[in-house]
């Protein structure tokens, strides 16, 4: 069981008590989404999902392509820096619900079909030099839940 102060309504904190599995990716101070019920002044959670940041930037990819993972509720990239020119994104739905991927920015507009859980596809487009590309899941309501990311094309 995990007990911590995590939710607030802008005025006060709400005590959260979580029973169930805890992801190894979860750490104190990290954003999370909890599901459960309000029991008086305590929120009793039975599901905890780690919320991922889109700020991680590893070194430049060796090739003009990268892997993109779609899960609840995140778009993750292995190499968020691309070289200009032809790009092939390897997109995998590693989630439990249907997702797609839309890539836009600087003359780029590309999208995958909606992928069932476990499906994968390649998304190909030309990446212009210096572009900042936005990645979102276009399935209704998924983007506001955190399914958004970026790819930067080197100059």
């Amino acid at each position: 069981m995990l007990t911590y102060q995590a939710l607030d309504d802008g005025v006060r904190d709400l005590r959260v008590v979580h029973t169930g599995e805890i992801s190894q990716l979860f750490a104190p101070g990290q954003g999370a989404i909890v599901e459960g019920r309000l029991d008086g002044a305590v929120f009793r959670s039975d599901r905890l999902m780690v919320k991922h940041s889109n700020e991680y930037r590893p070194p430049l990819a060796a090739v003009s392509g990268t892997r993109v993972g779609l899960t609840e509720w995140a778009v993750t990239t292995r190499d968020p820096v691309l070289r200009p020119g032809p790009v092939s994104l390897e997109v995998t739905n590693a989630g439990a619900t249907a997702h797609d991927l839309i890539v836009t920015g600087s003359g780029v507009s590309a999208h995958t079909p909606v992928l069932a859980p476990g499906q994968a596809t390649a998304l190909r487009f030309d990446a212009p030099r210096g572009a900042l590309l936005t990645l979102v899941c276009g399935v209704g309501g998924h983007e506001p839940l955190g399914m958004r990311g970026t790819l930067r094309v080197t100059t």
Side-chain angles (χ1 to χ4, degrees), residues 39-97:
D39 184 9
V42 175
F43 187 86
R44 300 204 180 273
S45 167
D46 53 9
R47 185 169 181 204
L48 183 143
M49 297 170 281
V50 176
K51 187 158 174 51
H52 299 279
S53 168
N54 294 330
E55 298 303 314
Y56 175 70
R57 300 285 188 247
L60 179 64
V63 296
S64 289
T66 192
R67 292 187 178 137
V68 177
L70 306 173
T71 60
E72 288 78 32
W73 302 106
V75 174
T76 57
T77 57
R78 186 180 82 188
D79 302 308
V81 181
L82 300 174
R83 296 182 191 272
V87 170
S88 179
L89 298 182
E90 183 181 320
V91 182
T92 302
N93 181 357
T97 187

